[in-house]
Amino acid sequence: MLVILRNLLSGICIGIANIIPGVSGSTVAVILNIYDKFVEIFNFNLKKIWKNRKFSIPLLLGMLTGIVLFSKLIKILYGNYPVQTNYFFTGLVIGSIPLLFKYIIAKKNKEEKFSAGKIIAIVLCITAGIAVMLWMGYMESKIPDAEVTGELPPLTWPLVFKIFAAGVLGAVAMIMPGISGALIMLIMGVYLIVTGGIDLMITSFFKRDWQEMFRAIITILPNGIGVLAGLALGSRLIAYLLKKFPNQSYALIFGLIIASAINIFPGFTFKSPLQGVASIICLLIGVVLAYLSSKLAPEENKDKEKTEEISQEQKAEEIKK
């Protein structure tokens, strides 16, 4: 029961992160030490999802709950306490650094030694992750502020393909720690179209304007299809990389997350000493929460390691016989 509750709360945290501009839900999955299992869900392997239902079902329900129930709370926090909120998320990233570093230097067995080539590859992956996130932060600063009017442009085949492609890339970005899928759609110029279409679909439903509702659905449908395709393809690619190149993959993730903290960090300019104290407290709370959450699942990993060691010993004995 405690495991199910933990997975539900983890899903809520990921859902909340997904509705925060510039924040990645996958980053929270890494912080909570469930990223590999989180990625596997989006392979859409129903047999595996059902087999791991104590993890996958509570997590998905939690994500939906986080998005629906906490969207208003996040708007209030960012509207009234943006500095403190960003300090809290920066703290979460800082607190997850020890866990990520542990994954980077993890060895398959005690006898394994890191070659010079592998060390260089790890350094390059960290550098690449940092470079990508800094570029994303630069691109975000170049996006002008705009308001969603609810007026949708006429659909053309090039626009349909653009909305679909943005959905694919946005979904892949969503499962890459540190990268915001919403930011990708902003850069590609379809974010306001999609959010405007969703808003128009909801308002026209309550107004019973079925023609406008149908037009809104047709407009955002390519994006929905693209998101599903991106989740399926992206999750398979990431799962493959984590399996075949775990050290390099986590090095890339490390770079992405470290640089995302740079993008989120609001600086040291405070309106008052009280705001400064509150921000530092929020930072420390984030660090402590992330560090403690990374310690919630070590027993599972230790049990897994012990099982692998026992199986290897059994194999060795069988060979001797």
Side-chain angles (χ1 to χ4, degrees):
M1 188 64 187
L2 287 174
V3 174
I4 293 174
L5 181 61
R6 178 183 182 273
N7 294 332
L8 181 67
L9 292 174
S10 297
I12 290 174
C13 293
I14 294 171
I16 292 171
N18 277 327
I19 58 177
I20 300 171
V23 178
S24 167
S26 296
T27 300
V28 177
V30 172
I31 291 168
L32 294 172
N33 200 14
I34 58 171
Y35 180 67
D36 52 345
K37 292 181 181 179
F38 170 76
V39 170
E40 282 185 359
I41 289 177
F42 298 108
N43 285 334
F44 299 111
N45 187 325
L46 297 179
K47 188 177 180 179
K48 278 189 176 181
I49 290 174
W50 180 250
K51 184 179 179 181
N52 300 321
R53 57 188 177 276
K54 289 185 179 180
F55 171 79
S56 55
I57 294 176
L59 191 82
L60 292 171
L61 288 175
M63 288 173 63
L64 182 62
T65 303
I67 291 170
V68 173
L69 297 183
F70 289 89
S71 58
K72 187 68 175 178
L73 175 61
I74 292 299
K75 288 180 181 178
I76 292 171
L77 289 175
Y78 264 102
N80 296 286
Y81 311 102
V83 176
Q84 295 92 325
T85 305
N86 279 328
Y87 261 85
F88 173 74
F89 285 109
T90 303
L92 286 177
V93 173
I94 293 172
S96 68
I97 288 175
L99 175 67
L100 285 170
F101 187 73
K102 182 180 177 182
Y103 283 152
I104 292 172
I105 63 173
K107 297 180 179 180
K108 293 180 180 178
N109 52 64
K110 295 178 181 179
E111 290 75 25
E112 183 184 7
K113 294 182 179 180
F114 282 173
S115 64
K118 192 169 188 178
I119 293 172
I120 292 171
I122 288 172
V123 173
L124 288 175
C125 287
I126 293 174
T127 305
I130 293 173
V132 167
M133 280 310 302
L134 292 179
W135 177 78
M136 296 284 284
Y138 171 77
M139 292 300 295
E140 185 177 14
S141 67
K142 296 296 180 182
I143 298 171
D145 294 332
E147 293 181 357
V148 179
T149 61
E151 296 180 2
L152 302 181
L155 277 182
T156 60
W157 283 113
L159 180 59
V160 168
F161 179 76
K162 187 178 181 180
I163 294 171
F164 169 79
V168 173
L169 295 177
V172 172
M174 189 187 79
I175 55 178
M176 284 297 293
I179 303 179
S180 169
L183 178 57
I184 295 292
M185 291 200 289
L186 271 170
I187 293 170
M188 294 188 68
V190 304
Y191 179 74
L192 298 180
I193 296 174
V194 173
T195 53
I198 293 171
D199 181 60
L200 182 61
M201 181 180 67
I202 295 171
T203 54
S204 59
F205 173 78
F206 287 107
K207 291 180 180 178
R208 295 187 179 183
D209 189 343
W210 310 123
Q211 185 175 354
E212 281 295 286
M213 182 180 171
F214 179 75
R215 189 165 75 93
I217 292 173
I218 293 297
T219 301
I220 63 176
L221 185 61
N223 188 258
I225 296 172
V227 167
L228 291 175
L231 288 174
L233 296 173
S235 62
R236 281 178 169 81
L237 174 61
I238 292 170
Y240 173 80
L241 292 175
L242 286 173
K243 185 178 180 180
K244 295 294 183 180
F245 311 100
N247 304 99
Q248 296 90 328
S249 298
Y250 276 110
L252 178 64
I253 291 170
F254 182 81
L256 291 171
I257 290 182
I258 292 298
S260 72
I262 298 172
N263 289 341
I264 295 170
F265 187 65
F268 297 101
T269 304
F270 304 115
K271 294 180 179 179
S272 67
L274 181 62
Q275 187 187 59
V277 172
S279 298
I280 297 301
I281 291 173
C282 288
L283 178 75
L284 293 174
I285 291 172
V287 171
V288 172
L289 285 177
Y291 182 76
L292 291 178
S293 66
S294 68
K295 296 294 182 182
L296 290 178
E299 295 301 322
E300 295 176 11
N301 297 332
K302 287 179 182 177
D303 292 341
K304 186 178 178 181
E305 289 173 3
K306 287 179 181 178
T307 303
E308 289 176 353
E309 288 178 3
I310 292 169
S311 62
Q312 288 176 0
E313 289 175 0
Q314 289 175 345
K315 287 179 181 179
E317 288 178 3
E318 287 176 3
I319 292 171
K320 289 179 180 179
K321 290 178 181 180

